Amino acid sequence: MTAVAGAAPAEHGTSRSRTPARIPTRIPAVTPADDRYPHLAGRGRNTRFAGRPQEIHLPTSAAEVAAVVQAAVDGGRRLAVRSGGHCLENLVDGPAVQSLVDLSALQEIRYDAAHRAFSVQAGAQLGPTYRALYLGWGAALPAGTCPSVGLGGYVQGAGFGPMCRSHGLIVDHLYGIEVVTVDADRRARTVLATRRPDDPHRELWWAHTGAGGGNFGVVTRYLFRSPDDADFPRGLSAEASALPRPPRSVLTVAVEWPWEGLGEADFSRIVRNHGAWHAHDEAAGDGGYDTLYSGLYLNQRSVGQVVLTAQIDGSLPDADQRLRAYVAAVGDGVRAPYRLRYQQLPWLDSVQRDVENRGAATRSKSKGAYLRRPYDAEQIATLWRHLSEPGYQGHTVALLFSYGRAVNRVAPQATAAAQRDSILKAYLGTYWEDPREDEHHVARIREFYAQLYAATGGVPAPDTATDGSYINYPDADLADPRWNTSGTPWHALYFKDGYPRLQQVKRQWDPHDLFRHALSVRPPAPAE
């Protein structure tokens, strides 16, 4: 969430580690007078936000991160942390931030024999991480589809992706974290916290499994190892059995329904069929569809088409049959013309594509939701009303991702990612280019979201149909009573009953609330 990753690391070497070219930090911090400042200050993917920190630091080790944090604390400067730059809200680039810690030089990826886990520094991006783990060890993380996302904040927000239905969330494979915290004496120190039951720092590990970035300190590296009861083939080495092995190949499909031939009845049927399939699939538990992952892109009319993308393990003997059956189920009864493209790709090729690039439309506003049930008729009518509007020229998308299966086999309290019985994850966002149009586009997406969840106070409040929102789709509107009239506080939408536990971690590890932003965990109120 509050992190984004920078330059690509060096090629994978014989030592099975990935070491970036060392960026010297013995020179002063990068300030606005420095030629490098515009690049470093503007690395955020959402160009609607641009900070002006007094200084930007590029540490190359945990020790250097601790030194930077200590200097900021001693100088009374407000801190923020950036890894990859994909934060969707103004949590890193806010005007109050004075010292920005840029983690893009922390990209080492190696096997840590002492912990029997893969060590990945927090500045690494998903694309290079996939490549290093797969080519070095044949291993993979169940992570997302955008290769330029940085692990720094993505992991802390409990990221998901194409392997989540078969292997769960990325935090379900998080063994430990190395994090720089600031204690009650205002001294920065580096702590290693793991999921081991006897680890005295275990609660600090737990808080990093879904609370989002920028809450408790600066994570410098992650240790990834699947749960000890994970089902791996017999006879594998410790390295080979530390993380899941991805499919040899994936069979993909893209179905496009051009808006010019799409009426309300067909649009509604597509959304209804898609939701019904996922509801039935989660209830049936057919293991043959564990590896299926899809996204239904309900694009604005001005974009040109509604698109269903899907993939399945291409090595399954009935992969083609199953994927075609899924496409047929979503398109059942739809009379609008469509275009269909199948493709088989090696797994690594499939995760190196940036499927979310929207060109010059880099200003955005985003919102999310967990769906326990598919959208009802009234909500589908709301989707049609807003998305079919011919006069709106922004790029709005209501996106429904496949979810559930292995994600839902984990107990809600096992991680800070408490939403463990949803069947779909929803994203609602709009994109535009001209900064003079900011107010217009933001107002429109707010109205759209409020109407979509009108039955629960304008937000996806936890009930039988919805279960709050996803912290990696941060939305400060949820903390604003003008837009959240549900009576459910913003933190219950994100963290549910786990929030008091997160507050206790905050009290212990960030007692001075130095790491904060609009949606950060708040310290608990002082005892009476």
Side-chain angles (χ1 to χ4, degrees), residues 229-263:
D229 60 355
D231 184 17
F232 290 108
R234 292 179 178 273
L236 294 180
S237 67
E239 296 177 18
S241 61
L243 286 175
R245 303 182 76 78
R248 179 185 180 91
S249 66
V250 295
L251 179 63
T252 71
V253 65
V255 189
E256 298 178 355
W257 292 276
W259 263 105
E260 61 189 18
L262 193 63

Side-chain angles (χ1 to χ4, degrees), residues 331-409:
D332 182 44
V334 178
R335 298 184 177 185
Y338 63 91
R339 296 184 289 266
L340 187 67
R341 300 190 314 275
Y342 284 91
Q343 185 179 19
Q344 186 127 2
L345 292 170
W347 174 81
L348 186 59
D349 291 359
S350 74
V351 294
Q352 296 295 322
R353 302 172 298 169
D354 188 349
V355 298
E356 302 298 337
N357 192 335
R358 291 177 174 82
T362 58
R363 305 178 78 81
S364 67
K365 175 62 180 175
S366 305
K367 295 173 176 289
Y370 287 96
L371 304 188
R372 287 169 153 161
R373 290 204 314 246
Y375 285 136
D376 62 24
E378 186 172 345
Q379 289 174 307
I380 294 174
T382 298
L383 291 168
W384 166 263
R385 185 168 61 253
H386 284 270
L387 295 172
S388 65
E389 182 185 333
Y392 180 65
Q393 295 303 307
H395 182 160
T396 296
V397 60
L399 178 50
L400 298 171
F401 290 109
S402 298
Y403 208 62
R405 288 297 181 95
V407 174
N408 293 346
R409 296 174 196 141

Side-chain angles (χ1 to χ4, degrees), residues 64-420:
E64 290 180 4
V65 170
V68 167
V69 169
Q70 189 65 65
V73 172
D74 291 345
R77 293 185 294 277
R78 177 77 172 269
L79 274 165
V81 188
R82 171 179 289 145
S83 170
H86 282 251
C87 187
L88 302 177
E89 191 61 276
N90 195 14
L91 308 185
V92 175
D93 297 309
V97 173
Q98 299 166 299
S99 183
L100 179 61
V101 184
D102 186 306
L103 300 178
S104 58
L106 295 176
Q107 298 178 30
E108 182 187 63
I109 301 168
R110 62 183 175 86
Y111 182 72
D112 186 328
H115 293 98
R116 295 185 292 116
F118 287 99
S119 172
V120 183
Q121 288 187 318
Q125 294 175 316
L126 286 180
T129 301
Y130 284 138
R131 178 177 173 81
L133 292 175
Y134 185 64
L135 296 185
W137 298 274
L141 288 167
T145 56
C146 185
S148 59
V149 163
L151 269 76
Y154 172 83
V155 176
Q156 296 173 59
F160 74 108
M163 292 173 62
C164 72
R165 282 164 48 87
S166 53
H167 294 287
L169 304 176
I170 193 168
V171 292
D172 299 334
H173 303 263
L174 181 63
Y175 175 77
I177 56 161
E178 180 183 80
V179 56
V180 174
T181 63
V182 179
D183 62 22
D185 294 330
R186 294 184 177 269
R187 307 310 302 170
R189 60 183 179 125
T190 303
V191 179
L192 183 67
T194 73
R195 68 175 182 234
R196 287 174 55 92
D198 60 349
D199 189 335
H201 302 147
R202 190 179 189 279
E203 283 296 281
L204 183 61
W205 162 83
W206 179 86
H208 284 83
T209 62
N215 277 293
F216 311 103
V218 183
V219 174
T220 54
R221 70 172 175 135
Y222 296 104
L223 293 170
F224 293 108
R225 192 177 94 198
S226 294
D228 293 337
D229 60 355
D231 184 17
F232 290 108
R234 292 179 178 273
L236 294 180
S237 67
E239 296 177 18
S241 61
L243 286 175
R245 303 182 76 78
R248 179 185 180 91
S249 66
V250 295
L251 179 63
T252 71
V253 65
V255 189
E256 298 178 355
W257 292 276
W259 263 105
E260 61 189 18
L262 193 63
E264 183 173 5
D266 281 336
F267 176 92
S268 300
R269 185 173 288 272
I270 291 168
V271 180
R272 189 167 60 250
N273 288 348
H274 178 266
W277 187 94
H278 283 86
H280 177 268
D281 172 74
E282 185 69 20
D286 179 358
Y289 278 108
D290 276 0
T291 67
L292 182 128
Y293 177 76
S294 72
L296 179 58
Y297 291 75
L298 301 171
N299 292 311
Q300 188 76 34
R301 179 182 290 274
S302 61
V303 177
Q305 61 276 323
V306 166
V307 180
L308 172 70
T309 65
Q311 67 177 62
I312 199 168
D313 182 348
S315 65
L316 296 175
D318 58 351
D320 183 74
Q321 175 185 341
R322 284 186 175 274
L323 193 57
R324 289 182 185 275
Y326 172 71
V327 170
V330 176
D332 182 44
V334 178
R335 298 184 177 185
Y338 63 91
R339 296 184 289 266
L340 187 67
R341 300 190 314 275
Y342 284 91
Q343 185 179 19
Q344 186 127 2
L345 292 170
W347 174 81
L348 186 59
D349 291 359
S350 74
V351 294
Q352 296 295 322
R353 302 172 298 169
D354 188 349
V355 298
E356 302 298 337
N357 192 335
R358 291 177 174 82
T362 58
R363 305 178 78 81
S364 67
K365 175 62 180 175
S366 305
K367 295 173 176 289
Y370 287 96
L371 304 188
R372 287 169 153 161
R373 290 204 314 246
Y375 285 136
D376 62 24
E378 186 172 345
Q379 289 174 307
I380 294 174
T382 298
L383 291 168
W384 166 263
R385 185 168 61 253
H386 284 270
L387 295 172
S388 65
E389 182 185 333
Y392 180 65
Q393 295 303 307
H395 182 160
T396 296
V397 60
L399 178 50
L400 298 171
F401 290 109
S402 298
Y403 208 62
R405 288 297 181 95
V407 174
N408 293 346
R409 296 174 196 141
V410 176
Q413 68 274 13
T415 66
Q419 291 86 355
R420 294 288 184 166

Side-chain angles (χ1 to χ4, degrees), residues 378-463:
E378 186 172 345
Q379 289 174 307
I380 294 174
T382 298
L383 291 168
W384 166 263
R385 185 168 61 253
H386 284 270
L387 295 172
S388 65
E389 182 185 333
Y392 180 65
Q393 295 303 307
H395 182 160
T396 296
V397 60
L399 178 50
L400 298 171
F401 290 109
S402 298
Y403 208 62
R405 288 297 181 95
V407 174
N408 293 346
R409 296 174 196 141
V410 176
Q413 68 274 13
T415 66
Q419 291 86 355
R420 294 288 184 166
D421 62 2
S422 297
I423 60 171
L424 294 165
K425 183 173 281 190
Y427 170 83
L428 182 64
T430 196
Y431 303 80
W432 65 96
E433 183 177 356
D434 191 341
R436 294 171 297 183
E437 299 177 357
D438 285 2
E439 186 175 341
H440 167 63
H441 294 289
V442 172
R444 186 179 185 277
I445 201 71
R446 282 172 168 166
E447 179 185 4
F448 189 172
Y449 190 74
Q451 292 180 12
L452 191 59
Y453 301 106
T456 50
V459 299
D463 67 359

